[in-house]
Amino acid sequence: MPLSEFTFGLGILDAIATSPGYRVVTNNFVYFLGGAWYTIFITALSIAMGMVLGLFAGLAKLSKNKIIYGLSTAYIDFFRGTPLFVQIFLLYFGVLPLIYDNDPLSSAIIALGLNSGAYIAEILRAGIQAIDKGQMEAARSLGMNERQAMIYVILPQAFKVVIPPLINEFIALLKDSSLVSAITVAELMHRGDLVFANTYQATWVFGTIAMMYLVITKTIALLGDYTERRLATE
Amino acid sequence: MIKVVDVHKSFGKLHVLKGINFNVSPREVVCVIGPSGSGKSTLLRCINQLEQVNEGRIYIDGEELTHPKTDINAIRQQVGMVFQLFNLFPHKTTLQNITMAPIKIKGVDKEQAYEQARELLRKVGLMDKADVYPGNLSGGQKQRVAIARALAMQPKVMLFDEPTSALDPEMVGEVLAVMKDLATEGMTMVVVTHEMGFAREVGDRVVFMDEGLIVEEGLPAQIFDNPKNVRTQLFLSKVL
């Protein structure tokens, strides 16, 4: 390799390392990592809440009881049919202060949990309905009541069917959690925003943030693939 | 053992069972034959209440299961059912398919349930398939597992809903052989089937249904060799 090319290559690295944007990123890297951790934490709690809500709302959507069905339909319609951004503001500034002395973090988790619960409900309902009718009949013919048949036969199979759409939902929720930066929760996007406001290094700062989101979402996708493979029975 | 009194069943405007009276004695093997849409499967499904009757009463071992206060789950534990499409639980291994109901419903000890399941697998000739998932079994093997699964609840009666209709022809024999063994052991069985050879050989009695009614019933030899009703004659002339 001619020496001139070699020094040219070093020159680029040198230029990067001494650029102000690079400095901003390295100086704030741990701060960003802390934000990423916050993002994961918020998303995980929201998913946990969304799964519980979604399971109940999804089962309620299959109920023959008109009131139960109506309540769950209203819940799902509202949270799927209005923007998450609006829901976050409505809950943080409007509804939750009436219920308790709310802080940004808990409000964010509640908003994201309620929102994801609506989507997860539809995913689970579809998953349950995708299971062949004969499975319920076989379980009932063995003497199981409806609840036992659900728990031991239908839900485990439905769970397998819904892994891909659930993973989609988890990834969407993780990305959407950036919206709670608007109510000052110090998650990844919020920290990027603060650093950007001080440095104006948009490409460096948001490029780094984007990469961090990407690493997390890719990890979730890989975990989903792994779970799917582990549950494969053929 | 089973007593069906004047049972009517409709699906919407479709009147499927139009007054069925039907008895099965202990240790008896009754084969129900008839053209498609005659109500054979519906009758069988009514007997363990997978379908609810519109009119009439059904008794099993003296207990009326069409009575609203009857605990249907308790009765179903005593009535084994084998389906045309097997309906094995695909997320469970063969052994788990067989042991699920005894463990979860009856609270049988795990080890004991597994022991019993292995015994049943030996009986249906599938000892080597204990840890295999249903997806990796052939149709005939699936149906034999399904029979073992039903037997694990130690039922007093076994209902078979066209158990060989979804099988490749070369697999029909292995399933019928298991059913024949079961009959020999004295199990009370009601078999909806298109296998006339099986009905003739194993059945104690053959019931011919058409258009929601029992048209003719009697000993297999009598039905197959000397059918009295015109519709029975017509049906048998087509299938035999």
Side-chain angles (χ1 to χ4, degrees):
Chain A
M1 187 189 288
L3 190 66
S4 59
E5 266 182 45
F6 185 67
T7 47
F8 175 69
L10 279 180
I12 289 181
L13 288 178
D14 201 41
I16 291 173
T18 53
S19 82
Y22 180 76
R23 278 295 173 77
V24 167
V25 168
T26 50
N27 286 346
N28 290 290
F29 202 73
V30 175
Y31 180 62
F32 289 156
L33 280 181
W37 173 245
Y38 227 98
T39 289
I40 293 170
F41 173 75
I42 292 169
T43 308
L45 285 185
S46 307
I47 286 174
M49 180 175 161
M51 285 293 281
V52 174
L53 278 173
L55 182 59
F56 280 108
L59 287 172
K61 258 227 127 159
L62 296 169
S63 168
K64 287 180 198 96
N65 183 320
K66 285 213 173 75
I67 296 169
I68 293 175
Y69 172 85
L71 281 175
S72 103
T73 304
Y75 160 65
I76 292 168
D77 283 354
F78 180 79
F79 282 95
R80 284 205 312 173
T82 59
L84 175 57
F85 204 44
V86 175
Q87 293 162 19
I88 291 167
F89 276 48
L90 176 65
L91 286 161
Y92 178 58
F93 294 112
V95 178
L96 293 180
L98 303 176
I99 302 169
Y100 73 107
D101 184 16
N102 66 319
D103 58 298
L105 178 61
S106 65
S107 307
I109 292 168
I110 290 171
L112 291 169
L114 281 168
N115 182 271
S116 69
Y119 285 93
I120 291 172
E122 283 296 320
I123 291 170
L124 293 180
R125 178 197 57 76
I128 290 167
Q129 282 180 324
I131 304 305
D132 181 60
K133 210 170 89 258
Q135 292 291 311
M136 179 56 95
E137 290 186 352
R140 297 305 301 271
S141 78
L142 287 166
M144 291 187 203
N145 61 35
E146 208 163 347
R147 204 175 56 90
Q148 291 169 321
M150 238 341 151
I151 292 173
Y152 300 124
V153 177
I154 306 297
L155 285 180
Q157 293 182 62
F159 179 69
K160 209 168 109 186
V161 177
V162 300
I163 290 174
L166 268 187
I167 292 300
N168 268 344
E169 170 57 21
F170 295 167
I171 288 173
L173 187 69
L174 186 114
K175 293 185 295 177
D176 288 347
S177 72
S178 59
L179 291 173
V180 304
S181 62
I183 56 170
T184 72
V185 177
E187 44 70 74
L188 184 54
M189 177 62 199
H190 189 70
R191 293 187 181 194
D193 213 9
L194 290 179
V195 172
F196 166 67
N198 284 327
T199 63
Y200 292 104
Q201 292 292 342
T203 310
W204 281 98
V205 169
F206 293 121
T208 305
I209 300 276
M211 284 305 129
M212 286 186 171
Y213 275 112
L214 185 60
V215 168
I216 305 170
T217 51
K218 186 66 191 172
T219 308
I220 299 176
L222 289 174
L223 280 176
D225 290 348
Y226 170 75
T227 315
E228 228 177 321
R229 250 180 293 124
R230 211 174 49 100
L231 289 177
T233 54
E234 273 177 61
Chain B
M1 181 64 94
I2 303 176
K3 197 165 127 194
V4 175
V5 186
D6 199 27
V7 158
H8 288 259
K9 171 70 187 173
S10 301
F11 295 104
K13 284 200 175 118
L14 190 65
H15 201 171
V16 182
L17 298 179
K18 303 169 180 166
I20 299 280
N21 290 287
F22 173 70
N23 291 304
V24 181
S25 315
R27 305 176 72 85
E28 195 181 17
V29 177
V30 178
C31 292
V32 183
I33 61 170
S36 301
S38 56
K40 315 181 290 289
S41 290
T42 306
L43 172 61
L44 206 64
R45 293 165 60 81
C46 284
I47 293 177
N48 73 352
Q49 292 286 285
L50 286 178
E51 305 290 351
Q52 289 185 350
V53 303
N54 299 106
E55 251 180 76
R57 291 184 304 279
I58 299 173
Y59 301 86
I60 288 185
D61 228 8
E63 260 192 281
E64 186 190 342
L65 56 136
T66 38
H67 194 278
K69 283 199 178 135
T70 305
D71 176 6
I72 186 61
N73 296 318
I75 291 186
R76 281 194 184 124
Q77 292 176 29
Q78 301 166 24
V79 182
M81 175 105 177
V82 175
F83 298 87
Q84 183 177 353
L85 296 175
F86 331 122
N87 297 348
L88 291 178
F89 305 137
H91 61 304
K92 296 286 177 190
T93 64
T94 296
L95 208 62
Q96 290 167 335
N97 261 277
I98 299 172
T99 53
M100 183 193 280
I103 293 173
K104 301 293 185 192
I105 307 175
K106 276 189 178 171
V108 174
D109 173 69
K110 234 181 186 171
E111 274 314 305
Q112 199 187 329
Y114 277 44
E115 189 59 34
Q116 187 209 7
R118 286 199 195 89
E119 190 52 48
L120 285 167
L121 278 177
R122 191 178 351 247
K123 194 165 160 179
V124 300
L126 291 171
M127 262 309 270
D128 53 331
K129 300 291 183 190
D131 298 317
V132 173
Y133 286 96
N136 296 327
L137 296 173
S138 72
Q141 291 170 336
K142 281 182 195 168
Q143 197 59 295
R144 285 187 279 157
V145 172
I147 292 171
R149 177 178 69 177
L151 289 174
M153 289 301 279
Q154 296 167 322
K156 293 179 187 158
V157 187
M158 286 283 284
L159 308 175
F160 294 83
D161 188 5
E162 301 196 26
T164 58
S165 296
L167 297 178
D168 290 336
E170 74 268 25
M171 293 172 180
V172 170
E174 62 193 61
V175 172
L176 292 181
V178 168
M179 291 167 61
K180 195 177 160 187
D181 286 349
L182 209 52
T184 314
E185 286 169 22
M187 176 62 78
T188 309
M189 293 161 62
V190 181
V191 186
V192 171
T193 186
H194 292 294
E195 292 295 328
M196 298 305 152
F198 178 85
R200 179 194 282 264
E201 190 193 346
V202 183
D204 295 314
R205 183 154 52 100
V206 172
V207 171
F208 173 71
M209 280 181 72
D210 193 18
E211 293 182 2
L213 287 167
I214 291 176
V215 175
E216 190 169 352
E217 59 182 307
L219 296 170
Q222 178 192 327
I223 298 284
F224 286 114
D225 301 334
N226 197 10
K228 297 202 169 51
N229 190 289
V230 186
R231 281 193 279 177
T232 319
Q233 291 166 0
L234 190 66
F235 174 75
L236 288 173
S237 72
K238 282 185 198 155
V239 297
L240 287 181

